[in-house]
Amino acid sequence: MASHQLVDIRNGRIAKAVSARSLGLNPYPSRSRRTHYVQAILDQFASLEGQTVTVAGRLMSWRKQGALAFAHVQDQTGKLQLFLRRNGVQPTDAKDGSLGYAETHLLDLGDIIEATGQVMRTDRGEISVMVSQLRLLTKAIRPLPDQWSGLKDREQVLRKRYLDTILEPSSFDRYAVVCKMVAAIRSFLNGRGFLEFQTPVLQPQYGGGTAKPFKTHVNALGCEMYLAISHELYLKRLIVGGYDKVYTIGRYFRNEGIDRSHHPEFSMVETMTAYENYEYNMDLIEAMFRHVAVSVFGKTEFTVRGHVIDFGMPWRRVSMSEAVREKIGADFRACQTLDEANALLSAAGIHEPQPSIGEALVKAFEVFVEKELIQPTLVHGHPIEISPLAKPLPDDPRFVERFEIFIAGMECGDNWSEQNDPVQLLATWRKAYRADERDAGTFHTLDFDFIEAMEYGMPPTTGIGPGIERMVMIFTGQENIDDVIFFPLMRPAISPLNAEVYGIQDPVVAPVEDLALSFEEFESLCKEGLLKPHSHHLTAKPHVRVWSVAPAPGGSRASGHIEIEGFLANSVLRLAGYKIQSAEVLSEADAKKRILELLEQSLARFFRDTFPEHRLTVAPATVLQAA
RNA sequence: GGGUCGGUAGCUCAGUGGUAGAGCAGUGGCCUUUUAAGCCAUUGGUCGUGGGUUCGAUCCCCACCCGACCCA
């Protein structure tokens, strides 16, 4: 087996940790004696010059020059140079953990170290610490990526973001900004008298939105539950319970697509305010964005996708119908029938008939208007068909008291006056439920416990729910949601390298489940049209197991299965349970030959007949060990 | 879902139908003010996986896996 160099490097570094121990030094002590962060030393050099300080962080460079050495240590505030003289550094001493100059060969880039010494400036003018004592705080046994090129491989950046934040200050800062923004949102809402509640992520129904849920099982209760697609219905229960201003900053799970702006697991701040309507929220959301902009960034103008956006100005407010009319001249408010609405759509070039007038309006809005909304815009007056939880407008019940926020063409929040008439709400839900049955692609469920809570009376209520990630993307100028989520969802994997390092035999994590069928099941499913090949080129791999142990009655047997690659989108189709039997004892070669004949007779012919446009390649048979 | 591009040493990247390359990192030396230090020597590879074509494939063909970008 070829050994990887990483294994050698890792072993070498482990050996250095062992060497440190043999000198009486613990390569993993429990704490440091840091007195200053790096940035503080750089900022306060004038007053600190000549003072003794202790810094701690990751060793990022090492330039040894005989009896001198220069290094850089990086902590969460920045990088600082260390200046070491052979005779100026305290020799190795087990009592206080000092690592002497003679033992600095035990250090590697990436190690966590601590250095004590006087603040000074080198001849070249760089602020440094003249090291009098050096300690190893953590031996790193893996090498960092090349620090000048950084980590470029996008997959590695996503899987190991912690390496990116070590090497790329802009990434490090960006994630810190995410945290500060969340804190700013909290302080903003807390300052306005809101109470932050924790609402359940495990929910028996997945109400409060239209999205495919993640399903899970609660062992203790023996029932299925869903991960929250929304926390709204729980915030409303809190309002029923008597709290007038509540919010949650929570995790939302939607089992749908992943792309630049969608992630299955994301964060939202969701508020509920009693005794107010959606107009209150228009003011609230504007003020929130302004507060975050000023308190985190100290400005109100941001460049988003090449547009300068000013959060300090009053936001434009326009109804959805009016926005569509302005753009394409079609006024859906005038439509009396669905046919008229679909005709308007068709005239505008959209030939996908919608199931209701409201949905036709939304379609037109999504296609023609949404992307054009660059400056912060509050679009209100959504059709009731897509807003089962919002209150109808008093003067036009086809529309509801709701608004969405659009910035730089992106939807950044959804807000409405909550429907609190339990009879109306239930009726709307039932209607939406029938729509669901019409279209299996949408999901609604009825939460009767919630309806019951409504029946005790929920005061007039309104809520906002801007997505945190989208907000962060806007404020930090990122166009990819993976660059604002530190741990984006990835298919789990163990690299071949790690398999070797950790001695893992079968480095498959969370394998896609194989579909295993008998020939007969397979053929009948194909004939019924329930199974179809995913790609045009398929590979069949027979696996044969020969049972020639002992002179069993009837000679030896061979059994096995066939794996077909390309038939299923992400996994292997396994056809199990075919057998051959022979009076004489079979050799491996004979068994293979017989199996291939069997394949030719049954499977290959079946494929030619059933899927003539697909090509099936039969790979040489693999012989499995007889158990 | 459709299209395009990519996967070669720990990292960043060249390259070729015939023994696999560089820089950095690593290892061993030299070096008292360096700044991606320098100099000398040197280790290190399932060329994403599986098939096919071929005397021979990392390279050509097919499929699959992983990822990126664009489009819907």
Side-chain angles (χ1 to χ4, degrees):
Chain A
M1 157 127 78
S3 86
H4 292 275
Q5 192 188 18
L6 175 69
V7 175
D8 298 335
I9 292 174
R10 185 170 172 274
N11 287 339
R13 288 182 171 213
I14 291 172
K16 290 178 185 177
V18 171
S19 296
R21 282 190 208 279
S22 72
L23 293 169
L25 302 177
N26 178 3
Y28 300 97
S30 68
R31 64 167 300 180
S32 95
R33 302 157 189 160
R34 165 151 62 195
T35 61
H36 289 74
Y37 279 106
V38 159
Q39 195 60 46
I41 293 168
L42 296 174
D43 290 344
Q44 301 159 33
F45 175 74
S47 60
L48 286 173
E49 186 172 14
Q51 304 286 309
T52 297
V53 297
T54 299
V55 295
R58 199 178 286 277
L59 182 64
M60 295 303 285
S61 69
W62 180 257
R63 298 180 295 281
K64 193 176 174 188
Q65 196 170 349
L68 284 184
F70 298 88
H72 277 96
V73 65
Q74 171 175 300
D75 68 18
Q76 69 166 7
T77 67
K79 271 190 209 178
L80 182 71
Q81 181 168 266
L82 304 178
F83 179 39
L84 299 90
R85 274 195 227 267
R86 180 159 52 204
N87 299 326
V89 180
Q90 188 182 326
T92 294
D93 183 347
K95 273 206 308 292
D96 59 5
S98 297
L99 183 78
Y101 194 87
E103 274 71 50
T104 51
H105 64 275
L106 297 178
L107 294 178
D108 288 291
L109 296 185
D111 287 352
I112 312 291
I113 60 163
E114 177 189 280
T116 301
Q118 285 190 2
V119 177
M120 49 88 73
R121 221 188 251 282
T122 59
D123 287 356
R124 296 289 181 91
E126 182 164 349
I127 295 170
S128 306
V129 166
M130 170 84 82
V131 177
S132 54
Q133 191 199 30
L134 192 64
R135 294 173 73 219
L136 174 61
L137 293 183
T138 299
K139 186 67 202 166
I141 64 173
R142 286 219 184 209
L144 290 174
D146 182 285
Q147 62 177 305
W148 303 110
S149 49
L151 195 58
K152 291 277 173 53
D153 183 322
R154 180 70 177 164
E155 182 177 355
Q156 296 306 313
V157 169
L158 297 181
R159 287 188 190 275
K160 302 175 193 169
R161 185 63 85 170
Y162 52 88
L163 293 179
D164 183 44
T165 52
I166 290 171
L167 296 169
E168 185 52 59
S170 65
S171 285
F172 182 90
D173 293 343
R174 188 173 65 251
Y175 287 106
V177 157
V178 176
C179 302
K180 288 176 187 166
M181 286 180 60
V182 172
I185 291 167
R186 278 206 167 88
S187 73
F188 172 80
L189 290 171
N190 292 345
R192 294 195 168 212
F194 282 83
L195 296 177
E196 179 177 5
F197 276 85
Q198 302 295 322
T199 44
V201 164
L202 290 174
Q203 302 181 357
Q205 267 93 24
Y206 48 101
T210 304
K212 292 187 187 176
F214 287 91
K215 201 175 190 179
T216 188
H217 188 262
V218 180
N219 291 339
L221 301 178
C223 64
E224 301 298 312
M225 290 241 177
Y226 301 96
L227 269 51
I229 63 167
S230 166
H231 293 262
E232 179 190 316
L233 302 187
Y234 292 89
L235 291 169
K236 287 178 177 173
R237 286 167 167 97
L238 290 165
I239 297 289
V240 170
Y243 304 96
D244 286 350
K245 289 181 164 184
V246 297
Y247 74 101
T248 189
I249 293 180
R251 224 53 187 154
Y252 293 67
F253 302 87
R254 298 190 174 177
N255 207 348
E256 297 175 344
I258 301 178
D259 63 31
R260 264 193 317 179
S261 57
H262 294 88
H263 193 259
E265 177 180 359
F266 62 100
S267 299
M268 213 159 27
V269 52
E270 197 163 1
T271 74
M272 283 293 160
T273 310
Y275 305 100
E276 297 286 357
N277 74 1
Y278 72 118
E279 291 171 310
Y280 168 90
N281 278 337
M282 294 202 199
D283 299 330
L284 186 70
I285 192 75
E286 273 195 57
M288 184 191 286
F289 268 76
R290 201 165 296 134
H291 175 85
V292 169
V294 171
S295 69
V296 178
F297 300 92
K299 59 177 184 175
T300 60
E301 287 194 358
F302 295 83
T303 302
V304 184
R305 294 179 180 177
H307 306 281
V308 176
I309 287 171
D310 189 353
F311 293 101
M313 304 290 288
W315 296 6
R316 186 181 178 222
R317 303 180 182 195
V318 63
S319 77
M320 186 180 283
S321 315
E322 183 59 22
V324 169
R325 196 197 58 75
E326 277 178 10
K327 197 78 203 165
I328 61 171
D331 194 346
F332 285 82
R333 282 166 297 195
C335 292
Q336 300 297 319
T337 67
L338 177 56
D339 287 344
E340 286 176 45
N342 278 325
L344 281 181
L345 266 191
S346 197
I350 303 173
H351 306 290
E352 300 166 43
Q354 299 297 309
S356 68
I357 299 175
E359 280 158 281
L361 168 62
V362 170
K363 185 78 183 172
F365 176 78
E366 285 173 354
V367 172
F368 298 111
V369 183
E370 205 171 301
K371 284 177 194 157
E372 311 285 328
L373 299 175
I374 302 303
Q375 290 301 316
T377 305
L378 300 167
V379 175
H380 54 81
H382 292 57
I384 195 163
E385 291 91 337
I386 62 156
S387 316
L389 296 174
K391 249 179 203 188
L393 285 171
D395 54 353
D396 190 346
R398 296 175 298 167
F399 301 98
V400 297
E401 297 192 0
R402 173 180 176 184
F403 68 92
E404 285 179 293
I405 307 149
F406 291 91
I407 298 164
M410 280 199 297
E411 191 236 303
C412 298
D414 195 359
N415 322 262
W416 53 76
S417 301
E418 305 293 342
Q419 175 59 273
N420 63 341
D421 175 343
V423 175
Q424 284 292 324
L425 182 62
L426 186 55
T428 310
W429 273 14
R430 286 195 193 281
K431 203 172 153 195
Y433 198 71
R434 285 199 297 276
D436 178 29
E437 289 171 337
R438 280 203 305 270
D439 176 5
T442 61
F443 289 77
H444 300 272
T445 51
L446 298 183
D447 184 345
F448 291 104
D449 285 330
F450 173 72
I451 294 287
E452 179 182 347
M454 290 285 99
E455 293 185 1
Y456 289 103
M458 183 179 81
T461 297
T462 185
I464 64 171
I468 304 271
E469 285 82 7
R470 289 197 180 182
M471 206 165 163
V472 172
M473 287 166 75
I474 285 168
F475 280 110
T476 60
Q478 295 302 310
E479 299 200 353
N480 197 320
I481 198 167
D482 287 339
D483 289 321
V484 301
I485 294 178
F486 201 102
F487 302 104
L489 195 66
M490 305 282 285
R491 188 180 295 282
I494 294 178
S495 68
L497 204 50
N498 277 353
E500 183 182 342
V501 168
Y502 300 122
I504 299 162
Q505 295 296 327
D506 184 12
V508 176
V509 177
V512 178
E513 285 176 18
D514 291 351
L515 179 62
L517 298 171
S518 68
F519 269 152
E520 294 73 26
E521 290 171 318
F522 173 69
E523 290 184 5
S524 71
L525 285 171
C526 287
K527 279 174 184 156
E528 289 166 31
L530 295 173
L531 268 182
K532 277 183 200 157
H534 174 253
S535 57
H536 286 275
H537 188 114
L538 309 165
T539 307
K541 292 184 176 176
H543 294 253
V544 57
R545 178 174 283 136
V546 185
W547 306 82
S548 46
V549 254
S556 57
R557 297 173 288 131
S559 65
H561 62 266
I562 298 168
E563 292 180 352
I564 302 182
E565 293 177 355
F567 199 91
L568 303 174
N570 282 314
S571 61
V572 172
L573 173 68
R574 182 182 297 227
L575 299 181
Y578 63 93
K579 298 180 178 113
I580 52 177
Q581 202 144 16
S582 161
E584 72 274 20
V585 173
L586 284 174
S587 68
E588 273 187 19
D590 289 338
K592 276 186 176 177
K593 198 175 152 210
R594 299 277 282 271
I595 287 294
L596 288 172
E597 283 168 8
L598 179 64
L599 251 174
E600 179 54 34
Q601 284 163 16
S602 55
L603 187 65
R605 182 185 305 157
F606 172 76
F607 258 92
R608 278 197 302 273
D609 295 346
T610 317
F611 306 112
E613 71 277 23
H614 294 79
R615 204 171 118 218
L616 180 72
T617 305
V618 179
T622 304
V623 177
L624 302 171
Q625 293 265 305

